[in-house]
Amino acid sequence: MIKNINFKNITWINVFNPSAEDLKYLIKNFKIHPIIMNELTRPTLRPKVESYGDHLYMVLHFPIFSSETRTTLSREIDFVFTKNTLITVHYEKIAPFEELLSQCESDEEFRGRHMRENSAFLLHKIITTLFEFSLRELDHIRQNVDDVEKKIFESKKHYNTIEEIAFIRRDILNFWRTIKPEGLALESLAERGILFFGDDLKPYFSDLTGSYLRVLNLLENQKEAIEVLYDTHESVLTTKTNEVMKMFTI
């Protein structure tokens, strides 16, 4: 399914779960390299940035929490951009991305702020929005970590806590697997983006790297916290088990 948004000389083409007809449309209307077209037919496992003359191709993955599985899932977005056109391709629904797309479609003031001069401003807005969403998801993880801490130190039912710790550890691990590899891709984007769009856009690409580092640092803080709580829980549980065994022995 293709959605086309235009504002002055800037075009945003979004393709959801591309079909053969969608790819034919892209081939017919945009001079996209055949290697990229082949990449768009299936999800890509690793993030990357590649240059193809008059357009750049980038693959990024973003962590999205699934309430059904109680863990974070990796969601991919492919970006193909020229000076004035941004093509995004994704294979699953991504709520914050869909909201941004809808806002851009309905809000002319929004288009005026972020679809100006060249496609880099729109690209910056999309990636920044998704990292901001990642920060909100980390707030949710932090709340879960805080709840576990209270149960360990304030509750007597320690045997039920280990399952919650396991869910949080898995959630953090999947989040980390998704976000950690993005660093090299964003560094490459900063280098290639400045060459492609000019030095004036350097602060915008540096800002994307900064947003990524904020997410990564907060994630590592939560990772360290849950590991400490896991060790503490094991220690408390062992102590209580020893006390019970001592009573039985007596």
Side-chain angles (χ1 to χ4, degrees):
M1 183 175 68
I2 294 181
K3 185 169 288 188
N4 192 324
I5 302 175
N6 296 287
F7 186 79
K8 295 185 178 179
N9 65 322
I10 307 299
T11 300
W12 181 7
I13 308 291
N14 182 66
V15 187
F16 171 65
N17 197 18
S19 64
E21 290 300 318
D22 295 334
L23 296 176
K24 287 180 182 179
Y25 171 83
L26 296 178
I27 293 172
K28 180 179 179 181
N29 293 276
F30 305 95
K31 297 179 180 179
I32 300 177
H33 197 280
I35 293 179
I36 298 178
M37 296 307 301
N38 184 56
E39 292 273 1
L40 296 180
T41 61
R42 61 187 186 278
T44 303
L45 295 178
R46 62 180 181 85
K48 61 182 177 179
V49 178
E50 296 173 347
S51 178
Y52 291 89
D54 63 346
H55 55 284
L56 296 179
Y57 174 56
M58 177 171 63
V59 179
L60 292 178
H61 299 85
F62 297 94
I64 303 295
F65 182 79
S66 169
S67 57
E68 295 179 0
T69 60
R70 290 187 63 185
T71 192
T72 295
L73 303 176
S74 177
R75 292 291 179 253
E76 175 185 335
I77 302 180
D78 292 22
F79 301 85
V80 183
F81 48 98
T82 66
K83 294 291 179 62
N84 298 321
T85 301
L86 175 62
I87 300 171
T88 53
V89 179
H90 57 113
Y91 307 89
E92 295 97 2
K93 292 290 185 179
I94 305 173
F97 180 81
E98 299 292 339
E99 292 171 5
L100 181 66
L101 182 66
S102 178
Q103 183 181 7
C104 187
E105 190 175 27
S106 60
D107 189 340
E108 184 174 354
E109 182 181 351
F110 179 92
R111 294 195 298 274
R113 289 198 307 271
H114 303 292
M115 297 181 71
R116 56 189 175 90
E117 297 180 33
N118 57 56
S119 63
F121 295 99
L122 180 58
L123 177 70
H124 175 269
K125 178 59 179 177
I126 293 172
I127 298 176
T128 299
T129 297
L130 290 166
F131 278 140
E132 289 173 352
F133 184 78
S134 296
L135 288 173
R136 294 201 298 273
E137 292 201 319
L138 283 174
D139 288 340
H140 176 71
I141 290 176
R142 183 185 64 184
Q143 184 60 56
N144 289 339
V145 171
D146 291 344
D147 290 345
V148 165
E149 181 180 1
K150 289 179 182 179
K151 288 182 179 180
I152 292 175
F153 292 103
E154 298 176 9
S155 173
K156 296 181 179 180
K157 298 180 179 179
H158 297 284
Y159 294 96
N160 298 327
T161 307
I162 189 63
E163 184 178 0
E164 296 180 38
I165 292 177
F167 275 113
I168 295 172
R169 292 176 79 187
R170 184 181 69 166
D171 192 15
I172 291 175
L173 175 62
N174 289 340
F175 201 117
W176 185 84
R177 283 173 172 169
T178 300
I179 205 72
K180 178 66 174 180
E182 307 295 278
L184 292 177
L186 290 170
E187 289 178 7
S188 180
L189 174 64
E191 295 175 3
R192 296 173 186 267
I194 293 170
L195 292 175
F196 193 77
F197 290 104
D199 289 338
D200 291 344
L201 275 296
K202 184 176 181 179
Y204 289 88
F205 292 113
S206 297
D207 182 62
L208 292 180
T209 303
S211 296
Y212 161 79
L213 291 175
R214 281 193 294 274
V215 172
L216 184 64
N217 289 337
L218 288 174
L219 176 63
E220 290 179 344
N221 288 342
Q222 299 310 315
K223 184 176 182 295
E224 291 175 3
I226 197 63
E227 293 304 323
V228 170
L229 289 175
Y230 173 78
D231 292 340
T232 303
H233 176 267
E234 288 292 297
S235 178
V236 171
L237 203 58
T238 299
T239 300
K240 288 186 173 293
T241 302
N242 290 339
E243 290 176 355
V244 172
M245 294 303 297
K246 185 185 297 183
M247 292 298 297
F248 275 119
T249 302
I250 294 173

